């Protein structure tokens, strides 16, 4: 049988099959299941295979969950191998239970406080079916039965004639096989989850975290707290998560006095959970997400033990974008999975906004935390093309082969520069999204490019900016606030800085293998312990780095007497801060450039606001909503320089200070604009490759530019090089430090940077 594993190849984790590195950017998934059977287009699969795509995700369920699925799987694999004989197979294995399971085990299903366990319609790649109840992803009964069915399925697969072509298992469960719940934790006056399954998992989570009930009582500040009957927070305690945002939106529409008002039901401090009184709520949401993560680890361990570690394991999980940070259960337990020894990769598609020519596809994960652990994040690259139905063509503005080629180059260029493996996903039943000779030719070129990239002697990226995130913080602030702190920058700004960025959870700052950076941007690090604060400061002081603190960095000290306190921000940032417990818009203008940061910026431009054009979409997106802060934070430090002021009240919006061993920049808005970040990066001594607000992906080895407008673009190289366009196979200069090129909107160029 094929042996598949992840090895470090020339400085970066890489899938290896039978010891050979595989260009994992050249992989595909094509939906084939219909109610009548398999719809398999041999010409399409052969075209993909001839273009160099040799690893295919093939969907299957267990016989326990979906009788007849294995026969369909065998048919698809045999037909695939008849046209692509050297293909490898990743089994996209559904772990859904049969309908009878939820009928027989309602206690293992999602349950509201009134005891109801509502029905759902579950749809995925292989079936659409109504269940009388929604099975819990925390259920130990489901886990054991699904594990038994999974291993029985492995027995059947191992006896098939193509068994040696199977390289791993990609676990599918929940909504659209992406592990999210199809029911909300709140529905009207009801709230959940009161299932026995989740309560059992909640108990395990609390015991692991607190060890003793005395510690639990102290943390929750509740003498009635116990492991035996962990309290599920009521609807009123969850006000901050969603209802706070709804209340302010309605108020904006109804009242001209909204800027001075405070919305609270006594359990929140503005958009924050009052963690001094309601730490149990934070633990509840954490446990909800981690229970799903632990299920994935459970199934991965079963596969690793069965095959002695010689099969790959993966699943969808960890989306920090286009997701519900509370109900979904798939964001808050990434480190639980990555720190296990059994899961090789996680995956997610890019977000579905801003994909039009001239835009870019935002990503959802902290990919460098994966690499630091010899794990992979794999992009489900569901890039649309001009071959779509009119609805999708209009949504993304792809109308001809030129549009298609340029966006496929753009998305591949991101993966090439950022060392991201990916699979092309055709979700149309029977396929056809990439069925075009021009696309086949492009895929063949990209296969060649990917193979060359793997062979580079040093594949490390060499970036100088690190974006820093926190898992725990997403459950201490409202859903909309996390979207503003994380999603907007991911979706509209990050690729326009003109410099490469790496992404980590703050937990990695103490890891000696984490590189040092010139600029650290703390995106949503709201909840930190004293030890974590010391770790951050030690990392910053290693090379007198610059820290850009966004909005309320460190406002919650998880171990403090006063957990939520503005002094916690002061201690972390080194800048004395104050707080207004009111609602304020956070638009600002640059006022003072004496601090040496914003000299190049337009002093009349308004920052801290969503101002990007974007393509229409079926999803509600952050840009539809006016941004505000509640509470508002601002500097009152005599030693700090004020670089910008809020337009509504004149208070400091951006402040700068030299601290003990590092330089501190505080930005009070939740929205970061690319040109603000570019200037802070320049201040930190980071190399700026491009200043024209185009989409740029870059590493020390490659640069991909996707033009957002017509005109001349200037690229500034870190070292003299001979930029070689990888598709044209053309050198654009010899030993040059900068280059000017004329481009039209939507055009993509990708250069190998040869010194």
């Amino acid at each position: 049988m094929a042996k598949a594993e992840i090895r470090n190849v020339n400085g970066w984790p890489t899938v290896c099959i039978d010891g050979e590195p595989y260009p994992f950017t050249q992989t595909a998934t094509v939906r084939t299941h219909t109610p009548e059977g398999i719809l398999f287009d041999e010409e399409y699969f052969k075209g993909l295979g001839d273009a160099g795509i040799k690893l295919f995700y093939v969907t299957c369920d267990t016989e326990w969950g979906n009788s007849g699925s294995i026969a369909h799987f065998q048919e698809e694999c045999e037909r695939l191998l008849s046209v692509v004989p050297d293909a490898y197979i990743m089994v996209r294995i559904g772990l859904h239970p049969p309908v009878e399971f939820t009928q027989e085990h309602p206690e293992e299903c999602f349950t509201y406080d009134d005891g109801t366990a509502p029905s759902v319609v579950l749809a995925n790649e292989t079936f659409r079916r109504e269940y009388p109840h929604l099975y819990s992803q925390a259920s130990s009964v489901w886990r054991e039965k699904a594990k038994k069915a999974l291993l029985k399925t492995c027995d059947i697969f191992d006896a098939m004639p193509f068994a040696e072509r199977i390289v791993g298992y990609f676990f599918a469960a929940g909504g659209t096989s992406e592990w999210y719940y199809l029911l909300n934790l709140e529905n009207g006056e009801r709230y959940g989850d009161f299932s026995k399954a989740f309560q059992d998992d909640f108990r395990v989570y609390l015991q692991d975290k607190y060890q003793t009930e005395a510690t639990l009582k102290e943390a929750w500040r509740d003498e009635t707290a116990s492991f035996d009957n962990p309290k599920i927070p009521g609807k009123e305690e969850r006000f901050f998560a969603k209802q706070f945002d709804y209340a302010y939106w309605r108020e904006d529409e109804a009242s001209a006095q909204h800027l001075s008002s405070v919305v609270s039901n006594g359990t929140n401090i503005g958009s924050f959970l009052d963690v001094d009184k309601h730490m149990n709520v934070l633990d509840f949401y954490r446990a909800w997400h981690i229970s799903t993560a632990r299920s994935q680890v459970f199934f991965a361990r079963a596969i690793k033990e069965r095959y002695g570690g010689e099969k790959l394991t993966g699943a969808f999980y960890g989306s920090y974008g286009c997701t519900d940070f509370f109900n979904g259960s798939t964001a808050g337990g990434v480190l639980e999975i990555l720190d296990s020894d059994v899961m090789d990769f996680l995956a997610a598609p890019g977000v579905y906004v801003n994909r039009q020519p001239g835009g870019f596809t935002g990503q959802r994960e902290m990919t460098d935390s994966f690499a630091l652990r010899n794990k992979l994040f794999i992009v489900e690259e569901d890039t649309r093309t001009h071959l779509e139905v009119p609805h999708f063509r209009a949504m993304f503005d792809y109308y001809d082969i030129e549009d298609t080629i340029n966006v496929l180059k753009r998305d591949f260029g991101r993966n090439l520069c950022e060392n991201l493996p990916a699979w092309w996903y055709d979700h149309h039943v029977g396929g056809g999204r990439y069925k075009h000779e021009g696309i086949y030719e492009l895929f063949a070129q990209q296969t060649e490019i990917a193979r060359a990239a793997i062979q580079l002697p040093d594949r490390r990226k060499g970036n100088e900016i690190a974006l820093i995130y926190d898992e725990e913080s997403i459950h201490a602030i409202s859903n909309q606030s996390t979207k503003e702190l994380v999603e907007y920058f991911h979706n509209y700004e990050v690729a326009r800085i003109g410099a490469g960025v790496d992404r980590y959870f703050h937990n990695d700052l103490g890891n000696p293998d984490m590189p040092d950076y010139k600029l650290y941007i703390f995106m949503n690090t709201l909840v930190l312990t004293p030890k974590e604060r010391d770790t951050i400061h030690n990392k910053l002081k290693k090379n007198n780095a610059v820290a850009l603190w966004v909005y309320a960095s460190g406002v919650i000290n998880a171990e403090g007497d006063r957990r939520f306190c503005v002094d916690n921000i002061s201690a972390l940032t080194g800048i004395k801060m104050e707080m207004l417990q009111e609602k304020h818009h956070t638009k600002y203008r640059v006022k003072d450039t004496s601090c040496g940061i914003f000299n190049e910026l337009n002093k009349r431009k308004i920052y801290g606001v969503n101002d990007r054009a974007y393509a229409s979409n079926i999803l509600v997106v952050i840009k539809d909503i006016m941004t505000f802060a509640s509470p508002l934070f601002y500097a009152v430090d005599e030693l700090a320089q004020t670089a910008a002021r809020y337009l509504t009240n004149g208070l400091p919006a951006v402040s700068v200070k030299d601290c003990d061993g590092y330089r501190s920049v505080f930005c009070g808005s939740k929205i970061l604009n690319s040109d603000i970040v570019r200037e802070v990066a320049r201040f930190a001594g980071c190399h700026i490759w491009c200043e024209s607000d185009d989409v740029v992906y870059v590493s020390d080895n490659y640069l991909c530019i996707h033009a957002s407008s017509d005109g001349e673009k200037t690229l500034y190289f870190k070292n003299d090089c001979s930029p070689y366009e990888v598709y044209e196979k053309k050198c654009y200069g010899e030993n040059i430090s900068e280059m000017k090129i004329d481009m039209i909107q939507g055009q993509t160029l990708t250069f190998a940077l040869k010194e």
Side-chain angles (χ1 to χ4, degrees):
M1 291 188 182
K3 177 181 179 180
E5 59 186 335
I6 297 177
R7 293 182 183 175
N8 187 294
V9 176
N10 300 332
W12 203 260
T14 304
V15 167
C16 293
I17 300 176
D18 292 332
E20 292 297 318
Y22 183 80
F24 218 50
T25 50
Q26 294 310 97
T27 304
T29 305
V30 180
R31 288 187 64 186
T32 61
H33 287 256
T34 73
E36 294 75 33
I38 297 297
L39 183 59
F40 190 90
D41 185 339
E42 293 184 358
E43 179 185 350
Y44 187 29
F45 278 86
K46 186 178 187 304
L48 294 172
D50 289 346
I53 293 178
K54 303 296 185 182
L55 195 153
F56 292 83
Y57 286 66
V58 181
T59 304
C60 185
D61 298 305
T62 67
E63 286 295 303
W64 173 63
N66 186 18
S67 178
S69 185
I70 290 178
H72 290 157
F73 171 81
Q74 182 170 2
E75 177 189 349
E76 181 170 354
C77 290
E78 289 174 346
R79 297 182 71 175
L80 167 63
L81 291 166
S82 72
V83 293
V84 190
D86 54 348
Y88 290 107
I89 296 162
M90 179 76 75
V91 184
R92 188 161 165 156
I93 184 72
L95 300 170
H96 316 282
V99 168
E100 292 75 21
F101 174 86
T102 64
Q103 292 172 330
E104 296 167 2
H105 298 281
E107 75 283 358
E108 302 298 321
C109 299
F110 181 95
T111 306
Y112 286 116
D113 60 308
D114 62 1
T116 58
S119 64
V120 296
V121 175
L122 179 61
N124 59 30
E125 302 87 353
T126 56
F127 64 80
R128 179 182 178 86
R129 181 186 301 159
E130 183 171 356
Y131 282 74
H133 314 295
L134 176 62
Y135 68 96
S136 170
Q137 292 166 189
S139 169
S140 60
V141 177
W142 165 67
R143 287 170 183 158
E144 289 295 340
K145 288 183 177 292
K147 173 186 172 181
K148 182 178 179 181
L150 170 63
L151 295 179
K152 185 176 180 180
T153 303
C154 292
D155 290 339
I156 298 170
F157 289 171
D158 291 347
M160 289 181 175
F162 51 80
E164 73 279 0
R165 308 308 299 177
I166 296 176
V167 297
Y169 289 82
F170 183 72
F171 308 116
T176 59
S177 296
E178 294 177 278
W179 290 86
Y180 59 84
Y181 280 86
L182 291 163
L183 293 169
N184 292 331
L185 285 167
E186 295 176 37
N187 185 3
E189 293 304 313
R190 300 181 298 174
Y191 59 94
D193 178 11
F194 283 82
S195 68
K196 177 183 180 300
F198 174 69
Q199 291 190 48
D200 288 346
D201 243 31
F202 193 14
R203 184 179 305 111
V204 171
Y205 168 83
L206 294 175
Q207 289 171 332
D208 288 346
K209 179 176 180 179
Y210 294 112
Q211 301 296 307
T212 68
E213 285 197 344
T215 307
L216 173 66
K217 294 176 191 292
E218 181 181 358
W220 283 13
R221 296 174 180 173
D222 180 1
E223 286 302 313
T224 68
S226 72
F227 293 143
D228 289 338
N229 187 26
K231 178 186 176 185
I232 306 297
K235 185 177 178 181
E236 67 283 354
E237 290 181 284
R238 309 180 193 201
F239 175 79
F240 80 101
K242 297 283 187 70
Q243 294 304 312
F244 169 80
D245 292 326
Y246 298 153
Y248 263 161
W249 297 338
R250 288 195 297 269
E251 188 181 60
D252 269 353
E253 296 174 356
S255 171
Q257 304 300 318
H258 62 273
L259 286 181
S260 62
S261 63
V262 177
V263 173
S264 177
N265 72 345
T267 67
N268 64 298
I269 302 171
S271 56
F272 291 89
L273 172 69
D274 186 346
V275 291
D276 287 290
K277 299 176 182 176
H278 302 281
M279 191 67 177
N280 65 298
V281 181
L282 182 61
D283 279 329
F284 164 76
Y285 284 121
R286 289 280 292 154
W288 178 248
H289 285 243
I290 285 176
S291 68
T292 294
R294 288 179 174 176
S295 289
Q296 294 190 352
V297 171
F298 176 83
F299 295 118
R301 191 171 304 283
I303 291 297
K304 288 296 184 183
E305 290 176 352
R306 177 185 177 86
Y307 292 106
E310 295 187 354
K311 300 293 182 191
L312 296 174
T313 53
F316 288 118
Y317 193 94
S319 293
Y320 278 66
C322 194
T323 194
D324 186 321
F325 293 104
F326 292 92
N327 291 321
S329 90
T330 58
V334 178
L335 291 174
E336 182 86 12
I337 297 171
L338 295 186
D339 288 335
S340 75
D341 58 351
V342 293
M343 188 74 93
D344 294 308
F345 67 92
L346 295 176
V351 296
Y352 297 100
V353 296
N354 196 36
R355 290 189 179 190
Q356 73 281 4
F360 64 91
T361 305
Q363 297 303 291
R364 312 194 201 187
E365 307 261 4
M366 289 71 215
T367 54
D368 296 276
S369 283
F370 287 63
L372 205 58
R373 293 162 171 79
N374 199 46
K375 311 280 188 180
L376 292 175
F377 167 66
I378 301 180
V379 184
E380 180 173 81
E381 204 67 84
D382 56 351
T383 310
R384 271 58 173 180
T385 72
H386 70 291
L387 303 175
E388 306 288 335
V389 297
H391 172 78
F392 285 113
R393 293 170 67 196
M395 180 182 296
F396 298 106
D397 288 339
Y398 306 155
Y399 290 106
D400 57 30
I401 186 61
E402 185 176 354
D403 291 332
T404 292
I405 293 298
N406 276 304
V407 296
L408 292 174
K409 284 182 177 180
R410 177 194 67 193
D411 292 353
F412 176 85
R414 178 200 60 236
N415 299 338
L416 180 69
C417 294
E418 298 187 3
N419 288 335
L420 292 178
W423 69 76
W424 299 109
Y425 180 46
D426 190 338
H427 80 283
H428 298 295
V429 178
R433 172 171 288 165
Y434 309 115
K435 190 176 180 180
H436 189 286
E437 287 300 325
I439 299 176
Y440 296 155
E441 181 180 344
L442 179 70
F443 284 174
Q445 289 179 292
Q446 291 176 342
T447 297
E448 180 183 337
I449 295 164
R451 286 175 177 158
I454 289 177
Q455 300 303 321
L456 291 173
D458 187 352
R459 297 171 59 206
R460 291 174 297 177
K461 292 183 284 183
N463 290 330
E464 299 170 321
I465 304 171
L467 308 180
I468 308 298
Y469 302 84
D470 179 40
E471 286 192 315
E472 194 171 4
S473 294
I474 63 174
H475 295 137
I477 196 170
S478 75
N479 197 65
Q480 177 61 24
S481 292
T482 296
K483 289 179 181 291
E484 292 165 343
L485 286 166
V486 175
E487 281 200 53
Y488 180 81
F489 192 65
H490 275 181
N491 296 354
Y492 300 98
E493 302 295 320
V494 68
R496 301 184 184 279
I497 299 170
V501 302
D502 293 343
R503 298 171 173 87
Y504 296 92
F505 291 108
H506 77 79
N507 312 67
D508 293 327
L509 289 166
N511 187 327
D513 294 329
M514 179 181 172
D516 296 328
Y517 294 85
K518 295 180 179 180
L519 172 62
Y520 298 84
I521 306 177
F522 293 86
M523 303 297 297
N524 76 321
T525 50
L526 309 172
V527 181
L528 296 168
T529 66
K531 182 178 179 180
E532 290 167 345
R533 294 162 193 266
D534 289 343
T535 298
I536 290 172
H537 288 147
N538 290 338
K539 187 68 167 177
L540 295 174
K541 292 176 181 179
K542 285 186 68 177
N543 59 344
N544 193 35
V546 172
L548 174 56
W549 314 98
V550 183
Y551 180 50
S553 298
V555 69
I556 296 173
N557 178 351
E559 297 176 0
D561 292 333
R562 289 181 63 198
R563 291 173 182 151
F564 185 96
C565 180
V566 68
D567 293 343
N568 295 331
I569 303 179
S570 304
L572 178 65
T573 64
I575 301 173
K576 176 65 176 174
M577 305 296 298
E578 273 299 343
M579 173 179 73
L580 287 177
Q581 292 195 49
E582 300 171 353
K583 172 185 175 182
H584 291 265
H585 293 308
T586 56
K587 297 178 180 180
Y588 63 90
R589 284 192 177 117
V590 173
K591 292 293 185 181
D592 187 349
T593 59
S594 61
C595 59
I597 299 183
F598 300 124
N599 298 8
E600 305 300 319
L601 295 187
N602 180 346
K603 305 308 181 292
R604 299 302 298 168
K605 182 176 177 178
I606 296 175
Y607 295 100
V609 65
N610 310 322
D611 61 354
R612 289 283 178 200
Y614 67 104
S616 60
N617 199 279
I618 56 174
L619 302 176
V620 175
V621 294
I622 182 178
K623 288 179 60 60
D624 294 335
I625 301 161
M626 181 67 74
T627 298
F628 58 83
S630 177
L632 183 77
F633 301 98
Y634 60 97
V636 291
D637 193 320
E638 293 181 356
L639 299 180
Q641 294 178 282
T642 299
R645 293 185 180 275
Y646 298 120
L647 292 174
T648 55
N649 54 32
L651 293 170
V654 179
S655 301
V656 185
K657 183 181 178 182
D658 285 336
C659 297
D660 181 19
Y662 64 96
R663 292 174 292 172
S664 201
V665 181
F666 175 83
C667 178
S669 173
K670 288 178 277 188
I671 298 296
L672 277 183
N673 304 101
S674 63
D675 39 2
I676 291 290
V677 175
R678 184 184 306 125
E679 295 309 311
V680 175
R682 199 192 311 275
F683 173 71
C686 301
H687 180 78
I688 306 300
W689 299 77
C690 182
E691 302 191 7
S692 54
D693 211 40
D694 295 288
V695 174
V696 171
Y697 302 109
V698 66
S699 70
D700 283 355
N701 293 315
Y702 295 98
L703 184 150
C704 174
I705 179 169
H706 179 73
S708 297
S709 61
D710 295 348
E712 185 179 75
K713 317 297 179 184
T714 303
L715 301 178
Y716 304 93
F717 302 112
K718 189 186 294 187
N719 301 299
D720 288 356
C721 66
S722 302
Y724 178 82
E725 215 290 328
V726 296
Y727 297 99
E728 299 173 358
K729 297 186 177 180
K730 170 186 172 183
C731 192
Y732 272 58
E734 298 285 344
N735 298 317
I736 58 176
S737 60
E738 65 179 75
M739 178 174 69
K740 297 183 185 298
I741 47 177
D742 287 319
M743 300 182 71
I744 61 173
Q745 181 176 348
Q747 182 182 358
T748 304
L749 294 171
T750 305
F751 298 97
L753 306 178
K754 299 183 177 182
E755 294 188 16

